[in-house]
Amino acid sequence: MGSLNLVQLLNGLTFAALLFIVASGFTLIFGLLRVVNLTHGALYLFGGYIGYSVALATGSFTLGALAAMVSVALLGIVLDQGLLRFVRRYELREVLLTLGVAFVLNDLALVIWGGDTFSIPVPEALRGATQIFGSYYPKYRLFVLILGILVFVGLWLLLNYTRLGALIRAGVDDAEMVEAMGINIRRVFLATFMLGSSLAGLGGMVGGAFLTLYPTADAEILVFSLAVVIIGGSGSLPGAAIGALLVGLLNTVGQVMFPELAYFVVFGPMAAILAFRPLGLFGKAA
Amino acid sequence: MNRREFLQSTSLALASVGAGTLPAGFAAAQAAPIRIGLMAPLSGVVAAGGREIVEGFNMYWEEKNNTVAGRKVEVVVEDDAGNPDTALQKARRLVEQTKVDFLFGNLLANTGLAVANYVKGNGVPYFIPVIAADDLTQRQRVRNVIRLAGYTASQMPRPLADWALKQGYKRIATIAQDYSFGHEQCAGFAQVFTEGGGTIAGQLWNPLNTADFSPYIGQLANMNVDAVFAMELGADASRFMKQYADFGLKGKIALLGAQNFTDQSVIRTSGEECEGIVSSAHFAEGSDNPETQKFVKAYTAKYGKMPSLYGFSHYSGALWIGQVIEKLNGNIANRDAFIDAVLKSELSNSPLGRPVRFDNYGNPVYDVFIRKVVKNAEGKYWNVPIETYPNVSQFWKYDPETYLKSPPFSRDYQGIKK
Amino acid sequence: MMSNTSFWRASAAWMIGLAVVFGVLPLVTSSYQMSVATEILIFALLAMSIDLLAGFAGRTSLGHGAIFGVATYVVIYWTSTLGGSPWLALALGIVAATLTAAVFGLFAVRAGGVYFLLITLALGMIVWGVCLRWTSVTGGENGLRGVGRPAIVADPTMFYYATLATVLVFTFVIWRFANSPFGLSLRGIRDSESRMRSLGYATATHMLIAFTFTGFIAGVAGALYALFNNFVSPSTVQLSQSVEGLLMAIIGGVGTLFGAFIGSAAIILLENFVSEYTARWPMILGFMFIGTMIFAPQGILGALRELFRRRRS
């Protein structure tokens, strides 16, 4: 049994930041394309592994992160154009197809990288701990927190101040109308899919440095992302942020104060919201 | 080579042998191949360890040209996926369909316990170099489940607790994976430490596959302890070590580990966060014993990495059973006699460099090293012995009969002396 | 659409066919193969429970594996930890699974489509979490070891026939349920919930009853599994159990009921076969999911029926 203090609070917040980065991609795809992309977790892991290999080869964390984002965006294109197009509009088939792809990617990763656990090397400047209000805290985790905020700001600017963002928002509200206005909604969908996937890849790289990469990381992050998006509401950025904060903090609180019930603390609220407010806190009706 | 090729080549060899063999009953049994069912997690979280089990095991048989006492050896490998239901399914298949002579392997305690329950019913010999659940050779002993080149969970951490007392540590906190292997290893440590006058300031338990140790590290930092005893294996060990260092605790609070914590499978992909951690085990790849070094060099040459506990234990297990089968001239048809022979045997010329025998309960007695992680000449991390505790059995210094009367270790009963 | 009599005849033919094929199996197979067949039967029952809900009520669940496993846990806990009677254990296991399904149902019935999937997934995960962490009762990670089967069914062949009989009986029960007026109203709700509601049907209550009934069936399968496996652990209730059950239902053909046998046999036999040569079963399973979704979403039996329908017209 432990007490909550600044360190634990920061733990919850930094984990929430990572969850936000990953879940924001998930919620965009769910909100706009109405696809529950169960491959999202595998994209996180695959992206992380690719970023790891690139970072190891080039010695640069940034290059690794870029490689992760780009490669996973490409995987996203393959997934969307190559597979999902055959089951468009059939919600359940889409979901189950993405589940199948998740299995394949997970096993493929096992073949390529093996089952060892990898820790992505943190750039020199972010190693070690720093003092915050009297407690020591790892610099890298603070970086993750800041990055999460930056991603939020970046996405918010994208959604509210760019044409693409406007199209996405309109599409989340009413995809048919956007199409009726003569806009090639397919291109918007594709762009969103790529964006969402690349966020998963970025998450894998960033998360891989403090949570490490290992064969079941994909299922774990997927389940958390699901919880975040369900609690926050699909297609909503503030929803994803609030959802991530809730899940991240609840998870940490649960582990510290109620270790026996750790899962319940996260999935209980998720099930409750699904039952009583299925659209989540900020979700909009289809 | 993969299993398919292996089976194909051995069956070709068999065909050529069989063609010239007289089919007289007894003689036919002698010439028939010995089939060993090896189960290991080849997928899932501990897939890396599972792969090493297969590598270590196969390395021995390949050294011997897959022959022992004139009989060919066929190793049939099955993936238990780190999942007890799958392990049971595969065990059934190996015994009932493939008709193996005996079973070997598994890694996670829950898979081992499931299979042990299965063989309890049919008497098939089951050798477990890595499954360490205490009670399999204590209160719930199954005669045909034998820890060949294996150990119990609580056996190894006890000397470490004694060593910790000698270093002057008075308050220690423990963190362990929340399942029976973790409970038992931690209890072994806690029992000896508190009996020697030390205090366990607190005990933390994390579920297997904890990605984020920060909540635990946050608590450990506040417990005001001289050292932390960590029992983690696989990915959890890597992560804990790393996050411990990230939070600035490395160097501030001494870190002691159970044997899997600083196993090669963990430290070979770790950075400097693993340096200096002290653990205890019967095997230390950095030991200067010539037998050990010969094995380590051969293993490294073959697989490009130093042997972990999984590779070492299964190599030694194969070696041990090979020696027993040789002694019996390949006649293992009588299960009782086979098991008797195993329990009375002695492991010699193994990478441990010293003979090993069983105690009266089917568990080996070892010299246990207190080891430290340092960099070797090639810049890679390995465990080097800094002290030796001779002849450590699963009962430490306790009288077995009295010990068995106390309850088994669990999360609630940690053997802590009040 | 087949006429009523030919429909009854076709279904009867199926039931008899199954009884015959599975009935003679022990005469031509080894004891190991028979145990595989037993497993196929048990999982066919699980797949049928999922199919009933998905095919007839239009609700795809990812929680039935957990419901199945609850029965297994209760049976083993009752006989092993509490040392109770195995027959009472079976009854309690089935009751526990049914209650779990009722609770799941209460949460899930007002949702549809993907949200239904997600709720059942979340609830299944909660069950898994409880089984994993409530170590004092469930044994946690280590699970619980069984005490063997009661004497009458100790012999593998006897157990096989007992399982076959049980599965056939419940297959009949499910079939009656699906083709009863209640079952028809479920299909109505599947096709258009709003219309059914405007006709005065209490759709949520219907769904709840349907969900609970399928949970009951999954519980029967889970109880049989306890006797078969003699062991239970969190992996019995984990998500992949629900996923495999769903895949079996899909491959056999959602809405066909008897397809569950085909799906169960396909997956279990394939897994046995594949894992002898490669460790890449998860990848193959994944490709099967993808392939089925793209090329044969109606499953094997569904595709066959399409073929017959087209030939007829």
Side-chain angles (χ1 to χ4, degrees), chain B residues 204-259:
Chain B
L204 299 177
W205 307 101
N206 63 286
L208 283 158
N209 287 319
T210 299
D212 192 357
F213 280 96
S214 54
Y216 304 99
I217 297 180
Q219 296 177 62
L220 287 172
N222 282 335
M223 279 188 194
N224 192 18
V225 290
D226 304 312
V228 168
F229 172 75
M231 178 277 140
E232 303 286 340
L233 70 86
D236 286 351
S238 306
R239 288 190 283 263
F240 181 80
M241 260 183 225
K242 181 149 197 304
Q243 293 174 26
Y244 193 79
D246 283 343
F247 274 79
L249 290 182
K250 182 173 154 69
K252 287 213 344 240
I253 307 180
L255 190 52
L256 305 173
Q259 80 214 73

Side-chain angles (χ1 to χ4, degrees), chain B residues 83-163:
Chain B
N83 173 323
D85 277 316
T86 314
L88 258 182
Q89 192 187 54
K90 299 298 167 81
R92 260 188 229 122
R93 185 150 96 200
L94 286 168
V95 169
E96 293 168 30
Q97 186 178 49
T98 322
K99 307 237 189 292
V100 296
D101 291 293
F102 50 90
L103 292 170
F104 232 99
N106 294 113
L107 193 159
L108 289 176
N110 52 4
T111 56
L113 286 169
V115 177
N117 197 40
Y118 168 67
V119 300
K120 187 163 77 173
N122 58 28
V124 173
Y126 175 42
F127 300 112
I128 44 174
V130 162
I131 306 288
D134 278 5
D135 266 352
L136 285 174
T137 49
Q138 290 177 4
R139 298 164 197 86
Q140 303 228 19
R141 183 167 173 216
V142 180
R143 201 180 109 88
N144 50 312
V145 176
I146 300 172
R147 277 202 244 269
L148 198 69
Y151 45 87
T152 62
S154 51
Q155 188 174 7
M156 301 299 168
R158 289 201 181 99
L160 187 63
D162 189 83
W163 182 86

Side-chain angles (χ1 to χ4, degrees), chain B residues 233-284:
Chain B
L233 70 86
D236 286 351
S238 306
R239 288 190 283 263
F240 181 80
M241 260 183 225
K242 181 149 197 304
Q243 293 174 26
Y244 193 79
D246 283 343
F247 274 79
L249 290 182
K250 182 173 154 69
K252 287 213 344 240
I253 307 180
L255 190 52
L256 305 173
Q259 80 214 73
N260 297 78
F261 192 62
T262 55
D263 186 48
Q264 264 301 311
S265 55
V266 172
I267 61 181
R268 64 166 84 98
T269 48
S270 291
E272 45 188 30
E273 61 264 12
C274 66
E275 199 156 9
I277 301 181
V278 175
S279 60
S280 58
H282 54 314
F283 174 68

